[in-house]
Amino acid sequence: ELEDQLTAKSKTLDELKQSLASNGSAEQSPEAQSLRIAELCEMKDSIVNQVTQLKASMESILEQWRAYDEIYAEVSLMTTRYVYCIDQCKPSGEEVSLEALKKQVQTLQ
């Protein structure tokens, strides 16, 4: 989107340059027009640099979010596994015999 807007602004700027060059405004001298054109070119260059910096920054941020999503998925899976293991290891009654514990250990292994 930004690139499209920048391209449109560049075209508009080029059209203005051509219009000023061909028409020659009666209100401004050629020197003033040249200064204005140079100023507009500097503004365009500044915008191009800002868009480039924004793109790099956004790519970095997107990469960080991708890493976050991957790590979050891993942590979520580990948490689910631990909760499942804890649920499986809970004794079924108040008193647990040694045989029942051995059977649970064998089941888990």
Side-chain angles (χ1 to χ4, degrees), residues 30 60 77 93:
S60 172
L77 180 62

Side-chain angles (χ1 to χ4, degrees), residues 6-92:
L6 184 59
T7 303
K9 297 290 181 186
S10 292
K11 282 184 180 180
T12 304
L13 181 60
D14 291 338
E15 289 171 5
L16 284 173
K17 282 183 198 177
Q18 290 175 357
S19 174
L20 285 174
S22 64
N23 293 337
S25 173
E27 297 173 6
Q28 293 183 348
S29 67
E31 295 83 15
Q33 289 177 357
S34 294
L35 289 174
R36 181 66 179 146
I37 290 172
E39 182 181 311
L40 290 172
C41 288
E42 286 178 19
M43 291 170 69
K44 176 189 160 197
D45 292 341
S46 173
I47 291 171
V48 168
N49 289 336
Q50 289 175 4
V51 168
T52 302
Q53 290 173 353
L54 181 62
K55 276 179 147 181
S57 177
M58 291 302 293
E59 287 175 11
S60 172
I61 290 169
L62 285 173
E63 187 59 38
Q64 291 174 1
W65 273 108
R66 283 187 204 106
Y68 168 82
D69 285 341
E70 290 174 11
I71 292 169
Y72 179 81
E74 289 177 27
V75 169
S76 180
L77 180 62
M78 284 194 262
T79 303
T80 302
R81 286 179 178 165
Y82 291 136
V83 168
Y84 176 79
C85 288
I86 288 171
D87 286 344
Q88 294 299 312
C89 293
K90 285 183 183 176
S92 56

